[in-house]
Amino acid sequence: MTLAVLKSRALTGMTAPEVTVEVHLANGLPAFTIVGLPDTEVKESRDRVRAALQNAGFEFPARRITVNLAPADLPKESGRFDLPIALGILAASGQMPANALDEYEYAGELSLSGELRPIRGALAMTFAMQREGNTRRAFILPRANADEAALVGGAVVLPADSLLQVCAHFAAGNGEQRLQRHVAQVESMPASYPDLRDVKGQAHARRALEIAAAGGHSMLLIGPPGTGKSMLAARLPGILPPMTEEEALESAALQSLIGSFDAARWKTRPYRTPHHTASAVAMVGGSSSVRPGEISLAHRGVLFLDELPEFERRVLEVLREPLESGCITISRAARQARFPARFQLVAAMNPCPCGYAGQSSGRCRCSPDMISRYQGRISGPLLDRIDLQVEVGALDQEELLGPGVGEPSAIVAVRVRQAAARQMTRQGSLNEALAGAELDRLCQPDAAADKLLRGAMARLAWSARSYHRVLKVARTIADLGGLENVGAAQVAEAIQYRRAVRQT
């Protein structure tokens, strides 16, 4: 037999399309050619595969070897094709049985000694197999990727340590040499988050944090340095509702795409804190291989942007669409990828360049023009998409030095979980995702609340988006109180949180 055909997978965003690896041996001068739009990493597999086969004790055929990765118009990257290429050469040259190759899919990078090294995107690949209904096939991959790949229910994952182990699996009967199915060794341990009890004072900001957690709302914290803005943001994941199995799989698959999956953090809400020097590509994703950015890595978790006005304007503007749609589509000349980005934005900023505007200490020396330019770095359309805009004032001496301990996260999380459960029972999503007729039906205010809303809308010159976001926040406040209808008290509290940065 001079032709062997095996199955593997590429990565295109969150999808993992099937790739057919065809290996053909022909007479002629010895050569090793890989076709099918391979990038540099895939082309380099020629040297890795040759050395791995020789060091594992196999004969490398002195013939004309052609490897085709189909479909030809799909870009192929990384070293995951090393294993199927090596097995294809062995099968085509008659050094291993080829009768059962189509019952498996393969992925793995080879070391020069023939050991299997971990790859990116193992979870995304088994996820794709399940969606396509290819459950009859088993997946052979490096042992280091076995835990994440086996998280997908129904996936048959056969981990191996080396090329020799994989070959022994095909050469053996039903003996001990056959690869054994792996069961994920990931336990749902209680996630460890910073506790809200560490935050002294700031009752107004703590209440806003609870509302944001209950309804999935975005939030902006405004205040001088040292008032606890970063502390509050870091404690938001600890009061969010527990992750469902589907949410945990989505989050883990995204971490797998960049090779940072950690089994110890299974079902732990992501908390991403990019520095203000981050580029737009780092934020939304991209590069030549189209990888997820910070907003996708924060999917089903929290994205915290500290010192918000210090970010480049174009970096902040790319957040506008994902905040509305919950996903991001990255288009490049040769390919397009779509990533989920249902993150909860929490941002923090100072009121002026020195940070002390409005303080009774009189430390601020910023002119009104300097303050206006500083706050003007955040565009109106972006502010319009932030549901809660909360002032975090400086603590007085008694609050700061007193023995007072705040309410712990465990107690707040119970209220948040109950409010979120009401929303999921009622509409199948958190209030932040409400839109259209569903928003009008579920957030309809009573007569007194409607009058209050109309007056605030006229006085503050709200856009339609601002009006709807206030309604959704009021609906969340009602859910936290266990109320069926949105009343004037809930609307009044929601209006308080719609505080513009720039006063006009």
Side-chain angles (χ1 to χ4, degrees):
M1 179 178 182
T2 60
L3 176 67
V5 180
L6 302 89
K7 299 293 183 182
S8 186
R9 291 195 176 263
L11 288 179
T12 303
M14 277 287 286
T15 63
E18 185 180 281
V19 172
T20 301
V21 181
E22 301 172 319
V23 180
H24 180 248
L25 304 185
N27 296 326
L29 292 175
F32 193 168
T33 307
I34 300 177
V35 296
L37 212 58
D39 72 353
T40 303
E41 293 174 77
V42 180
K43 291 177 181 177
E44 290 173 348
S45 69
R46 293 175 298 188
D47 300 309
R48 291 193 298 271
V49 168
R50 178 185 286 107
L53 288 175
Q54 291 173 341
N55 288 322
F58 294 103
E59 177 188 352
F60 188 81
R63 302 178 66 180
R64 188 174 186 84
I65 304 172
T66 304
V67 177
N68 179 39
L69 305 176
D73 59 348
L74 177 69
K76 321 295 189 311
E77 48 88 21
S78 90
R80 68 174 54 85
F81 300 106
D82 289 4
L83 178 60
I85 290 173
L87 294 175
I89 291 174
L90 293 176
S93 61
Q95 297 181 71
M96 65 168 281
N99 56 332
L101 290 178
D102 59 350
E103 297 176 8
Y104 304 86
E105 293 191 10
Y106 313 83
E109 179 182 330
L110 288 172
S111 70
L112 300 186
S113 64
E115 301 297 313
L116 283 174
R117 288 178 172 161
I119 55 174
R120 292 187 302 104
L123 178 54
M125 288 190 280
T126 52
F127 210 18
M129 285 179 63
Q130 183 195 53
R131 287 197 302 266
E132 294 173 8
N134 288 338
T135 52
R136 65 179 183 83
R137 284 190 192 145
F139 209 116
I140 297 178
L141 40 62
R143 192 171 300 279
N145 295 115
D147 275 343
E148 59 178 288
L151 288 173
V152 179
V156 179
V157 175
L158 304 179
D161 296 308
S162 66
L163 176 62
L164 278 174
Q165 276 193 2
V166 179
C167 295
H169 172 79
F170 288 100
N174 295 319
E176 296 180 355
Q177 287 185 307
R178 292 186 66 84
L179 299 176
Q180 300 299 310
R181 181 175 180 175
H182 183 79
V183 178
Q185 303 297 317
V186 178
E187 298 182 5
S188 299
M189 299 294 291
S192 177
Y193 302 105
D195 201 298
L196 264 176
R197 70 165 66 240
D198 302 330
V199 181
K200 293 185 177 181
Q202 305 298 2
H204 182 62
R206 290 168 61 100
R207 169 66 173 170
L209 196 73
E210 181 177 340
I211 295 169
H217 303 291
S218 52
M219 187 178 186
L220 173 62
L221 301 169
I222 310 164
T227 54
K229 302 186 295 294
S230 299
M231 281 187 70
L232 285 162
R235 282 148 180 79
L236 177 59
I239 62 174
L240 291 173
M243 296 184 83
T244 64
E245 197 76 19
E246 182 180 355
E247 289 174 343
L249 273 175
E250 289 176 355
S251 177
L254 286 161
Q255 304 298 324
S256 172
L257 291 177
I258 63 168
S260 66
F261 173 79
D262 183 2
R265 294 186 58 80
W266 172 245
K267 287 195 173 181
T268 298
R269 294 278 183 183
Y271 182 73
R272 306 291 298 189
T273 58
H275 193 259
H276 61 257
T277 56
S279 66
V281 170
M283 194 68 71
V284 301
S287 82
S288 58
S289 58
V290 192
R291 299 191 184 185
E294 291 292 337
I295 63 172
S296 294
L297 297 176
H299 180 63
R300 302 298 184 183
V302 176
L303 176 69
F304 177 52
L305 303 183
D306 201 5
E307 306 296 345
L308 188 66
E310 301 299 333
F311 283 82
E312 289 186 16
R313 181 71 172 261
R314 62 188 297 267
V315 174
L316 294 180
E317 295 307 297
V318 300
L319 298 175
R320 286 159 54 177
E321 180 189 346
L323 277 172
E324 292 281 349
S325 64
C327 63
I328 181 72
T329 301
I330 301 169
S331 298
R332 295 293 182 263
R335 60 199 302 189
Q336 187 180 76
R338 184 183 180 90
F339 295 105
R342 185 67 66 183
F343 61 94
Q344 200 160 341
L345 174 66
V346 180
M349 62 175 289
N350 297 324
C352 67
C354 78
Y356 296 101
Q359 298 300 298
S360 57
S361 62
R363 297 171 64 179
C364 181
R365 295 293 183 268
C366 301
S367 67
D369 189 49
M370 291 172 61
I371 295 174
S372 178
R373 284 200 303 271
Y374 180 76
Q375 296 184 352
R377 295 177 186 176
I378 307 168
S379 70
L382 178 59
L383 276 176
D384 210 28
R385 288 168 165 83
I386 298 178
D387 299 337
L388 305 169
Q389 300 169 21
V390 183
E391 186 172 5
V392 184
L395 296 177
D396 59 37
Q397 190 175 12
E398 293 300 323
E399 284 182 306
L400 186 60
L401 302 180
V405 177
E407 193 176 28
S409 292
I411 295 176
V412 179
V414 171
R415 296 197 296 266
V416 169
R417 189 162 56 247
Q418 291 171 348
R422 293 187 187 101
Q423 297 165 45
M424 297 304 292
T425 301
R426 185 177 60 232
Q427 73 248 8
S429 67
L430 295 180
N431 289 332
E432 187 276 334
L434 288 174
E438 194 175 37
L439 173 65
D440 295 335
R441 178 174 61 86
L442 298 176
C443 301
Q444 185 65 40
D446 61 23
D450 184 64
K451 182 178 179 181
L452 187 60
L453 267 173
R454 289 175 182 271
M457 190 173 184
R459 185 171 65 256
L460 301 175
W462 283 343
S463 67
R465 180 184 289 113
S466 296
Y467 171 77
H468 289 144
R469 288 186 178 270
V470 168
L471 268 182
K472 288 190 278 190
V473 171
R475 177 67 266 177
T476 299
I477 295 171
D479 289 330
L480 279 168
L483 304 174
E484 291 294 328
N485 300 313
V486 177
Q490 291 77 49
V491 167
E493 185 177 0
I495 291 172
Q496 291 182 48
Y497 299 122
R498 196 69 194 178
R499 178 186 178 276
V501 174
R502 293 184 294 275
Q503 301 296 327
T504 56

